[in-house]
């Protein structure tokens, strides 16, 4: 088989924080030897693992990220050092690891999601979408931010709390709202995997209902006390999972403001002050 993959096409071979078992299962489903992927190390934050199908097994090679005082960052695999990951992959495209060189990246499983809410985007690398729009996941770069592609081929970053898995032929799937064609100057997502921002400003009038009671630490006067059924107007969605908001009192008046864990609430797709309740939308744990 011709070795034609592009070592500089990070999106083709970088699979992000998938587990060792998931990587093994994915590669064992491939027919050819030399099929590979790069994933994050689960035991050493910041390091990577090169996973390769060799013969009838999958080998996992640790790639250490080494900061040299004079030479900057290097990537070490075994006793060899490389300036970056594409250089490492280029070398093993021509040289054997154990029983095979690298032939091609693993085939990604097509994963689709559907939007629970509108997302207008705040940064050039964001991918705006409308409620019920179906998107294809390209990579899961961060816990709260993934890279996705819309039906027009535009690629960008999307917030995980705004989406849920898309199931074919499900009655819960509404007709997707088409997005506007991207302009010629629209930017695609950056491949820098460091956190892009600390928070996301939610759409106006974003509400959540408390599904799990919580009594905060008595010394934390910035945390909200939560009771099941409370309604919160969400004002900030932090990447850390600690959201910010304001309790809604009777008559629609604003109550105490503070932060709370997003796992204790579920977003609701209506304004509780002006609309009748509809089925709620579950925030993923």
């Amino acid at each position: 088989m011709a070795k034609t993959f592009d070592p500089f096409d990070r999106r083709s071979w970088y699979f992000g924080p998938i587990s060792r078992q998931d990587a093994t299962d994915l590669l064992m489903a491939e027919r050819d030897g030399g099929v590979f992927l790069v994933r994050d190390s689960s035991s050493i934050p910041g390091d990577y693992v090169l996973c390769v199908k060799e013969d009838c097994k999958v080998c996992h090679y640790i790639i250490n990220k080494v900061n040299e005082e004079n030479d900057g960052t290097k990537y070490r695999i075994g006793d060899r050092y490389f300036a970056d990951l594409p250089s490492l992959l280029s070398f093993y495209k021509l040289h054997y690891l154990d029983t095979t060189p690298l032939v091609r990246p693993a085939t990604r499983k097509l994963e689709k999601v559907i939007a629970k809410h509108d997302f207008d985007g705040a940064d050039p690398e964001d991918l705006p979408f409308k409620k019920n729009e179906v998107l294809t996941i390209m990579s899961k770069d961060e816990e709260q931010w993934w890279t996705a592609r819309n039906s027009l081929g535009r690629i960008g970053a999307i917030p995980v709390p705004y989406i849920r898995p898309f199931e074919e032929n499900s009655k819960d799937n509404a007709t997707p709202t088409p997005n506007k064609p991207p302009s010629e100057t629209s930017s695609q997502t950056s491949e820098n995997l460091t956190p892009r921002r600390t928070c996301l400003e939610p759409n106006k009038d974003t509400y959540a209902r408390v599904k799990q009671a919580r009594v905060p630490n008595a010394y934390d006067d910035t945390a909200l006390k939560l009771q099941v059924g409370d309604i919160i107007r969400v004002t900030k969605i932090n990447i850390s999972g600690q959201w910010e908001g304001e309790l809604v009192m009777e008559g629609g008046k604003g109550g105490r403001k503070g932060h709370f864990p997003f796992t204790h609430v579920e977003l609701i797709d209506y304004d509780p002050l002006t609309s009748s309740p509809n089925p709620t939308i579950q925030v993923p744990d």
Side-chain angles (χ1 to χ4, degrees):
M1 180 182 295
K3 307 174 184 64
T4 57
F5 77 89
D6 181 2
F8 292 93
D9 183 9
R10 183 186 181 96
R11 205 171 277 122
S12 70
W13 46 258
Y14 175 67
F15 280 61
I18 68 170
S19 69
R20 178 189 179 98
Q21 189 59 54
D22 286 344
T24 298
D25 293 343
L26 188 64
L27 290 170
M28 286 302 294
E30 297 278 359
R31 295 179 57 185
D32 305 310
V35 180
F36 73 97
L37 62 86
V38 176
R39 62 178 173 86
D40 294 338
S41 170
S42 58
S43 57
I44 310 176
D47 284 1
Y48 299 94
V49 181
L50 173 61
C51 309
V52 188
K53 183 173 183 181
E54 302 191 45
D55 295 330
C56 295
K57 66 181 186 299
V58 174
C59 297
H60 300 262
Y61 300 95
I62 187 70
I63 301 174
N64 297 119
K65 188 175 181 180
V66 182
N67 294 314
E68 300 282 351
E69 185 174 347
N70 298 323
D71 297 332
T73 302
K74 298 288 185 181
Y75 295 85
R76 182 183 66 207
I77 181 170
D79 58 357
R80 295 185 180 276
Y81 289 79
F82 299 90
D84 49 38
L85 291 178
S87 299
L88 185 153
L89 299 179
S90 296
F91 179 83
Y92 286 108
K93 186 177 181 181
L94 302 174
H95 298 79
Y96 277 60
L97 285 148
D98 184 9
T99 62
T100 179
L102 302 179
V103 175
R104 64 170 175 83
T107 303
R108 293 180 182 272
K109 293 181 179 178
L110 192 64
E111 182 178 356
K112 293 186 177 183
V113 296
I114 187 168
K116 300 189 295 186
H117 305 279
D118 289 354
F119 173 61
D120 296 329
D123 293 345
E125 62 264 34
D126 289 341
L127 177 64
F129 52 78
K130 297 294 184 182
K131 180 180 177 181
N132 295 326
E133 187 173 351
V134 178
L135 307 168
T136 301
I137 299 301
M138 306 294 291
S139 60
K140 298 180 179 180
D141 310 314
E142 303 172 21
E143 182 179 358
Q144 295 289 314
W145 290 93
W146 294 351
T147 299
R149 182 182 66 236
N150 66 15
S151 60
L152 299 173
R154 184 178 175 186
I155 295 174
I158 63 173
V160 175
Y162 276 48
I163 59 174
R164 63 177 172 83
F166 175 78
E167 298 178 7
E168 298 287 349
N169 303 319
S170 172
K171 295 180 180 180
D172 294 332
N173 296 329
T175 302
T177 303
N179 215 336
K180 295 181 179 180
S183 66
E184 293 182 1
T185 58
S186 62
S187 301
Q188 291 187 344
T189 184
S190 167
E191 292 192 7
N192 182 359
L193 297 180
T194 56
R196 296 164 48 251
R197 72 194 84 176
T198 58
C199 66
L200 165 69
E201 297 295 337
N203 296 333
K204 183 181 179 182
D205 298 329
T206 297
Y207 292 92
R209 179 188 292 110
V210 176
K211 64 178 182 179
Q212 181 180 343
R214 178 174 184 262
V215 178
N217 189 305
Y219 298 99
D220 186 355
D221 57 4
T222 63
L224 284 180
K225 179 180 179 180
L226 305 179
Q227 294 183 353
V228 175
D230 283 350
I231 300 295
I232 300 174
R233 186 174 68 85
V234 182
T235 58
K236 188 172 292 185
I237 295 176
N238 295 307
I239 295 299
S240 65
Q242 287 292 322
W243 291 5
E244 298 177 29
E246 178 182 30
L247 283 170
V248 176
M249 312 299 289
E250 277 191 40
K253 295 181 179 180
R256 186 157 184 257
K257 299 178 181 179
H259 65 82
F260 56 93
F262 83 98
T263 53
H264 285 55
V265 303
E266 54 187 1
L267 292 175
I268 51 180
D269 60 349
Y270 66 96
D271 185 338
L273 305 180
T274 60
S275 307
S276 299
N278 291 325
T280 57
I281 300 176
Q282 187 73 23
V283 176
D285 291 335

